[in-house]
Amino acid sequence: MLLRTSIIEGRYLDSVLLMSLAAQLKSRDGVADASAMMGTDANKAVLRETKMLDALGEAAGPSDLIVAIMVEDEALAAEVFATLPALLEPPKQARGTSTAELAARTLDEAKQRLPEASLVVISIPGVFVKHEALRALDLGLHPFIFSDNVSVEDEIELKTIGRERGLLVMGPDCGTSILNGMAIGFANVVSRGAVGIVGASGTGIQELSCLLDHAGVGVHQAIGVGGRDLSQRVGGLSMRQGIALLAADPKVSVLALVSKPPHPEVARQVLLEAKACGKPVMVCFLGGDPKIAQELGLHFAPRLDFAAQICTALVRGEPVPTQPDSLSSEYLEKASELAHKMPSGRKLIRALYSGGTLCDEAIQVADKLGLEGVRSNLASEGPHALSEPGKSEGNCFLDLGDDYFTRGRPHPMIDFASRRERIAVEAAQPDCAVILLDVVLGYGSHADPAGELVAAISALPEGGPVLVASITGTHADPQNYGQQRARLQAAGVHVLPNNASAAAFATAIVKELLA
């Protein structure tokens, strides 16, 4: 294979567009790998580590676009690079809109052209975020910061200034919000309703909002705050501000807070402010201690499906459930049936996730059900930690969206190559009994996840592992939940109604094998 590079000088693309470009290039026959990154030092380090940086790439500047491909021959490289101008062409302009009107080069110029705008999405290399976010705050704009690699110090400064000015800083590393019905980042098309969500988890917001949509209970606002917001240093600055905003919104009747385990002191402060808001509050801190919430009379949910059930009951004025539902007898019987048909020696789960929160939730479900030997790249130490981050051990739950897997490659919600490859690898292991998957729909995600997975599944030999999945999405999403579900089921995938149920079903199969 040959590494060949093309440099487009002075051409900036945000990270979502770069991931999409890399995925399109890699889908070409004869292209073994592809990367598209801005030429910052941090990005060059990633390309260097993944063997995708040559002398031409080394010479690129931070404002230059590096497109690197691994190809079979020179002719193919030339052919692929010849398609770049078309791939990089901006979307066709709306009728009556001039190119000049679309080509704002600065935030100030964009604000002049859209004086009614109240929010700016920032998706640039992390080192430049503070400057642009401060300017956004000066212009009276709420920053939605998709970028990562922003220092904690910068995050605290931006959120403190925003709070003082009555502006909400969402992020950094904020992947999802639904604001006034508009999906921002990776988000789904959900019905409008009475629930207001504040979440330090992108896929957590997506799963909860989609489950509420399926239940016929809509979402009025879903505010993402970034994964570090509830850390000890940041102190929940944006979540606390989000709670206050939703408390003052007459269209929100129920508040839902979603996060991975927060720092205990931060959790107490956040929940004290939630208690004081005067509205019913559901708290889903995955893996967190329920005591603080329960002491304050708030409704605590250990799982996202149960969080949706609580919110639904609160909105409808129905009795609030106190315990999550167990896997139904129908699914338990099916798990037993599948286990008894399983070839001898298959006894392990291999979970391949694109959403870190969903992976974390699946691990907690498996732990709760007594599954032994659970390992994951989400754990840096302790009994769940892997010896090597990319190597499966025991009942292994992998977040393929982790930096280890995405360095120089698109995120697995956009490009299914890493999951297709991994499905084949895990299915070939004689001890793999179940492959567990999440399928995340919505804006930003792959246009046809089911099609990508079916292509991988159809190549598997007979007598292999059972495939289990859940779909985070709605019928109004661009990919259409119903159509995606039907295609997966036709390929033999067992599709459960939510992520927690899928993890419980996979665990039930393995436990039956070990009984």
Side-chain angles (χ1 to χ4, degrees), residues 32-55:
D33 206 352
S35 292
M37 290 187 168
M38 300 306 299
T40 63
D41 289 342
N43 285 341
K44 286 182 186 178
V46 170
L47 291 171
R48 198 176 297 118
E49 185 176 341
T50 55
K51 312 298 184 187
M52 294 292 287
L53 188 69
D54 58 12

Side-chain angles (χ1 to χ4, degrees), residues 107 120 122 128-141 143 145 154 157-159 161-162 165 167 169:
L107 187 54
V120 58
I122 299 177
F128 304 123
V129 163
K130 179 181 174 180
H131 178 272
E132 293 300 323
L134 285 173
R135 186 60 191 144
L137 293 171
D138 287 341
L139 293 170
L141 298 169
I145 305 174
D154 285 353
E157 180 180 350
L158 290 170
K159 289 184 172 180
I161 292 172
R165 299 182 184 181
L167 296 169
V169 176

